[in-house]
Amino acid sequence: MTDQIVRPEYVQDAPTEPRRDIMRWKSGTLHRNWYAACTADELTSLKPLGRTIMGEHLVVFRGADRKPVALADRCLHRAAKLSEGTVGDGCVKCPYHGWAYDGRGQVVHIPSEGPERHDRPGKRAESFPCLEAHGLVWVWLGEAGVAPTHEPFPMPWYQADGWKTYYMITPFENGVTNLAENFMDVPHTVFVHADWFRNEKTRQGDAICKRTEHSVEIAYLHRDDIGFADWALNPDRLPMVHTDKFYMPNVTRVDYRWGDARHFVISSQITPVGELDSMVYTAIAFKFGALTPLLEPFFQWYTRQVIEQDVVIMRNQGANLRRYGASKFMSTEADLVHLYIESLRTWAEKGEVGPKPPPQERRISFWI
């Protein structure tokens, strides 16, 4: 099943000068991307949602024809939060004096001026390109008046035949780069996820690590398993093929495959709320033949336990980054995948000035 991407009319007409002190404008070219604001199911026609992406406070709601809309979460009248208002007739209404904004951000009704509804020239809230695809609602944070240059990342196997998919939504007290590294990091699993995911076996692992123009990929070459769940996922004891991928600027994809019939994919959209706060939309997709529909309750429980362990260790790291400030990490050969991710994101954060990190491929060894 393929999602239909409904394209709204993109209108960006900011009434005031953008706040240049927030993350959106201090991150080089990273704002020129789609970021997940919520799942499609979260956004109903009954009420608006308040979201913060790269320091921008947004109100997201369903406008006319149920299309998603994203506006600055600030009423032009007396600066109240629109996200605490109501939705009706395809408009979001301010909870303070009832000013109504349509999907363009245009003020179409001011109750104190009478019952008539019509555009109020010169009264338009800043709006952001917004669309729905792959079960998520996406917002584009590029410059006003400049249309998006690409589509949102297609979440792998979302609602595909023979697959089961669901989303996990998780707040993290850490930034995008550190989270991407954590989601693609094997050595930490024997400590953070001991007895759940992997245990320390003191054996050598090998991998091929590759940096492309827009991604980082690592393919593991050693025989591996994923802890006590292996008996359910791999009863035939087939070799597991494990690959991790990072796609600029904020997406990770982890694949576990056993032969042609069994496949488990974890794809994470990391939405930056602030420098060291993120909201992660993790799509779990899996197929295990006839067992597929029966495994969902187990996966729902198991994946939540594992990701909450990552929440704890990312909070630990984030707290120390707040305490001591950003600093250069020490690295070993096992961290090459992290260095590749950091190189691509750092280049974008610096406005893509200077030479771009070149494509590179290396074989590495490490112990787990």
Side-chain angles (χ1 to χ4, degrees):
M1 178 177 175
T2 303
D3 273 20
Q4 294 293 320
I5 297 179
V6 181
R7 297 187 171 280
E9 177 186 359
Y10 294 138
V11 179
Q12 291 180 292
D13 185 9
T16 57
E17 189 66 22
R19 283 186 52 201
R20 297 292 176 179
D21 60 327
I22 64 173
M23 183 181 179
R24 179 188 179 194
W25 302 113
K26 298 193 298 181
S27 299
T29 59
L30 291 176
H31 63 295
R32 297 172 186 161
N33 286 283
W34 293 102
Y35 290 102
C38 60
T39 65
D41 291 340
E42 286 181 285
L43 191 63
T44 70
S45 297
L46 302 178
K47 63 179 183 179
L49 296 177
R51 291 293 185 265
T52 302
I53 304 178
M54 300 189 87
E56 285 284 1
H57 300 296
L58 309 173
V59 56
V60 186
F61 64 98
R62 290 196 181 276
D65 301 325
R66 290 184 52 81
K67 296 177 183 178
V69 175
L71 307 177
D73 191 13
R74 178 183 182 276
C75 183
L76 301 176
H77 182 214
R78 290 295 183 272
K81 294 180 182 178
L82 296 175
S83 58
E84 295 184 6
T86 59
V87 175
D89 300 323
C91 297
V92 63
K93 299 177 183 179
C94 178
Y96 196 4
H97 296 90
W99 283 33
Y101 298 78
D102 67 12
R104 301 166 297 164
Q106 180 69 56
V107 176
V108 295
H109 186 214
I110 299 177
S112 63
E113 293 184 353
E116 292 187 7
R117 293 173 59 91
H118 58 80
D119 288 1
R120 265 60 176 188
K123 294 181 174 62
R124 177 179 290 185
E126 182 179 8
S127 62
F128 300 79
C130 186
L131 59 79
E132 181 178 333
H134 319 299
L136 296 173
V137 173
W138 308 78
V139 178
W140 178 269
L141 290 182
E143 287 80 4
V146 180
T149 57
H150 55 272
E151 301 286 356
F153 179 80
M155 300 303 271
W157 305 111
Y158 179 73
Q159 293 188 337
D161 290 342
W163 289 74
K164 197 75 175 177
T165 56
Y166 62 90
Y167 276 105
M168 291 195 301
I169 308 169
T170 312
F172 280 87
E173 296 174 36
N174 213 320
V176 173
T177 303
N178 298 327
L179 292 176
E181 292 179 0
N182 171 258
F183 298 161
M184 291 180 61
D185 180 75
V186 167
H188 90 279
T189 61
V190 301
F191 301 102
V192 175
H193 307 299
D195 297 326
W196 282 89
F197 197 21
R198 284 187 181 89
N199 288 308
E200 190 172 14
K201 298 177 180 176
T202 317
R203 69 184 183 192
Q204 184 173 319
D206 299 282
I208 300 293
C209 193
K210 179 181 178 181
R211 179 178 61 201
T212 72
E213 187 177 359
H214 300 290
S215 68
V216 176
E217 305 173 11
I218 185 165
Y220 296 93
L221 307 177
H222 57 279
R223 177 100 188 196
D224 196 8
D225 59 57
I226 53 174
F228 81 87
D230 199 56
W231 63 269
L233 306 182
N234 187 24
D236 299 327
R237 310 308 298 165
L238 297 172
M240 182 178 74
V241 178
H242 174 197
T243 58
D244 294 344
K245 298 178 182 179
F246 167 77
Y247 301 95
M248 279 290 287
N250 66 320
V251 181
T252 61
R253 171 177 172 172
V254 177
D255 284 64
Y256 301 102
R257 186 192 294 270
W258 302 264
D260 295 327
R262 297 170 180 266
H263 198 173
F264 185 69
V265 186
I266 309 166
S267 303
S268 297
Q269 278 281 345
I270 310 169
T271 296
V273 176
E275 299 288 348
L276 286 172
D277 289 288
S278 305
M279 189 68 72
V280 178
Y281 298 85
T282 304
I284 307 294
F286 58 93
K287 68 168 183 176
F288 288 89
L291 291 176
T292 300
L294 303 177
L295 285 170
E296 184 173 6
F298 167 73
F299 280 141
Q300 291 263 13
W301 171 79
Y302 178 70
T303 52
R304 176 49 65 188
Q305 306 310 309
V306 172
I307 203 166
E308 287 302 323
Q309 292 172 329
D310 282 325
V311 167
V312 172
I313 196 62
M314 288 292 92
R315 182 187 303 129
N316 176 317
Q317 183 194 48
N320 249 11
L321 291 173
R322 288 180 174 90
R323 177 186 289 174
Y324 293 108
S327 60
K328 186 174 178 61
F329 299 146
M330 284 188 174
S331 300
T332 70
E333 189 172 30
D335 300 306
L336 180 63
V337 63
H338 307 333
L339 298 178
Y340 281 170
I341 291 171
E342 290 167 13
S343 66
L344 291 177
R345 282 189 51 84
T346 298
W347 184 71
E349 286 172 349
K350 293 181 177 179
E352 302 183 4
V353 175
K356 187 172 187 176
Q360 196 171 85
E361 183 174 317
R362 276 180 52 191
R363 180 174 180 136
I364 62 172
S365 295
F366 54 92
W367 289 81
I368 53 175

